[in-house]
Amino acid sequence: MPDRILIVEDEQDLADTLAYNLEREGFEPVIAHRGEDALQLALRDPTPTLVLLDLMLPDMPGTEVCRRLRNTQKTAAVPIIMVTAKSDEIDRVVGFEVGADDYVVKPFSVRELLLRIRAVLRRSRADSRTSERLVVGRLEVETDAHRVTVDGGEIRLTALEFKLLQQFIERRGRVQTREHLLAQVWGIEADVTTRTVDTHVKRLRDKLGPGGAYIETIRGVGYRMRPDPGDDGR
Ligand code: CA
């Protein structure tokens, strides 16, 4: 059965173009022009495999649609790619308070969007298989044993650094805001600020050596673990 993709987009031409291209790639597109319609459609069987969600909709913000999908049991785990018009909206939409899995900024190419969709689908399928041995390129983490190796060599991390790394790996590919990391790893204490996150990420990167390059800085937003080490300007 083809993967059903719910396109939530009020610009009719764009919605049609997306639907046409998705169909050509073997997906089953469904279009909603309003947030309310999207929420209704998402509840129908079969549940969408992925939701492509425009941030600016006529009846409610895309972030609200995202929140409601997340808070509904049936759609809570459906991956959501947010479509925004401005790149400075990114930290708002990928933050943990909204819960989008990825984002694209308008105008985007259909090719780029398809790559994003495939990546998000792959990731969500991998996440649904439980594993206690996580591998990202040269980096390997055994969660139960709290063991971390880079190129087979063991790296000693503090409990907090391990928790931070685990958080990166479990949500690899997704942008994580400093606030989200703070909440997940530190549990937000009064004397801890987002600067603390930066300090610990730097320390973690240094300890990981070549493995540290997998942690990418998203300027002004936070961090993301990527599958390949890249040039992070360091
Ligand atoms: Ca719109």
Side-chain angles (χ1 to χ4, degrees), residues 8-11 14 33 54-58 83 106:
V8 190
E9 174 59 70
D10 59 314
E11 288 170 50
L14 179 56
H33 294 300
D54 184 27
L55 188 66
M56 302 282 281
L57 295 166
V83 180
K106 286 182 187 176

Side-chain angles (χ1 to χ4, degrees), residues 82-100:
M82 198 72 96
V83 180
T84 84
K86 287 183 287 181
S87 55
D88 57 10
E89 309 250 58
I90 292 167
D91 59 341
R92 218 154 62 77
V93 303
V94 297
F96 67 102
E97 69 273 28
V98 176

Side-chain angles (χ1 to χ4, degrees), residues 27-140:
F27 295 108
E28 186 200 328
V30 186
I31 297 175
H33 294 300
R34 300 162 58 85
E36 282 295 350
D37 302 341
L39 293 166
Q40 297 278 320
L41 278 171
L43 288 174
R44 278 193 210 156
D45 287 323
T47 308
T49 318
L50 183 139
V51 178
L52 208 56
L53 182 56
D54 184 27
L55 188 66
M56 302 282 281
L57 295 166
D59 56 337
M60 68 174 82
T63 49
E64 179 58 27
V65 177
C66 188
R67 236 177 243 120
R68 291 207 207 167
L69 290 171
R70 285 286 176 258
N71 291 333
T72 306
Q73 199 185 359
K74 201 171 174 190
T75 54
V78 174
I80 297 170
I81 297 181
M82 198 72 96
V83 180
T84 84
K86 287 183 287 181
S87 55
D88 57 10
E89 309 250 58
I90 292 167
D91 59 341
R92 218 154 62 77
V93 303
V94 297
F96 67 102
E97 69 273 28
V98 176
D101 293 85
D102 203 354
Y103 62 89
V104 286
V105 179
K106 286 182 187 176
F108 52 84
S109 71
V110 169
R111 193 184 126 75
E112 183 197 351
L113 180 68
L114 287 168
L115 287 173
R116 295 291 183 105
I117 289 175
R118 293 233 155 79
V120 167
L121 288 178
R122 249 195 329 268
R123 211 157 60 213
S124 85
R125 274 168 195 143
D127 285 353
S128 61
R129 292 191 297 267
T130 51
S131 162
E132 41 202 54
R133 194 172 146 273
L134 304 163
V135 182
V136 175
R138 300 156 73 176
L139 199 67
E140 204 175 310

